[in-house]
Amino acid sequence: MTVRVTGRSVRVVEHDGVTIDELVGNVATKNDELSVAMVNVTVAPASEPWLTLHYDEWMSVVTGFIEIHEEDESGERTITRVNKSETVFISKGSRFQPVFPVVASYIPTCLPAFAPDRCIREEGTELSDVSKRLNELHSKEVNVLSADDINSKYDHVKTIYHMAQKSLWSQCSKRAYFPPTFKQDGFTHATAIASTLIDTANHFYTDTKENGSV
């Protein structure tokens, strides 16, 4: 029988009220077969981006509750609520969004272990601070994705959505459309999740006097 200390917990994420301490895995114990972590969400409501897993994952809720959102090909959303002391299983290949309506904590167990290239985060072309931190921990260099790498990860997306003021769109019948912020941002904001346009409208267009958008 062998008993030994193989590592110690490492805080791999601390961002916007969410902390993740890896207990077992590639960072904490140099183990790629299995990973276990403690996630604490101290600011709610909150959510992760949409994720696609290349491992099996179990989420065991310790405090509060969490929601697992899924969408079918028609965009219809299914929500699974996971309460305190319950465990939800998410199989390899699943696409879902973890949502935190309340302050909560849970233990994710991944088989094989979590690694950035096994958890596809729908963040767009620019890596978030969370992804940059995870990449730094899992490799000596930050993994900057090429356009081809990014496009290959979204082959399942058939439609993308962009919200525009109707008057601006109607001016582009004979020329290309560019949003007012294109020069500043350098790209056009879009999403594969139609329901997120509600948040866009409420955040950016509540003061717009014009009736209608496309």
Side-chain angles (χ1 to χ4, degrees), residues 31-43:
N31 179 4
D32 190 51
E33 297 177 357
L34 170 77
S35 64
V36 181
M38 171 61 74
V39 181
N40 288 288
V41 182
T42 60
V43 177

Side-chain angles (χ1 to χ4, degrees), residues 58-134:
W58 293 258
M59 293 182 176
S60 303
V61 178
V62 180
T63 62
F65 70 90
I66 66 176
E67 292 179 350
I68 303 300
H69 291 219
E70 300 173 87
E71 277 190 351
D72 60 21
E73 294 182 355
S74 66
E76 184 174 349
R77 185 170 297 201
T78 301
I79 300 175
T80 301
R81 173 167 165 159
V82 191
N83 296 309
K84 177 182 176 180
S85 300
E86 293 182 336
T87 297
V88 62
F89 172 69
I90 304 167
S91 63
K92 179 180 179 179
S94 297
R95 178 178 179 268
F96 69 102
Q97 182 183 36
V99 175
F100 314 112
V102 300
V103 171
S105 61
Y106 66 95
I107 299 171
T109 302
C110 306
L111 185 69
F114 169 87
D117 59 354
R118 292 175 179 159
C119 180
I120 310 306
R121 300 167 62 88
E122 295 185 16
E123 297 174 325
T125 58
E126 295 186 6
L127 294 180
S128 69
D129 290 339
V130 171
S131 290
K132 289 177 182 178
R133 167 67 173 165
L134 292 172

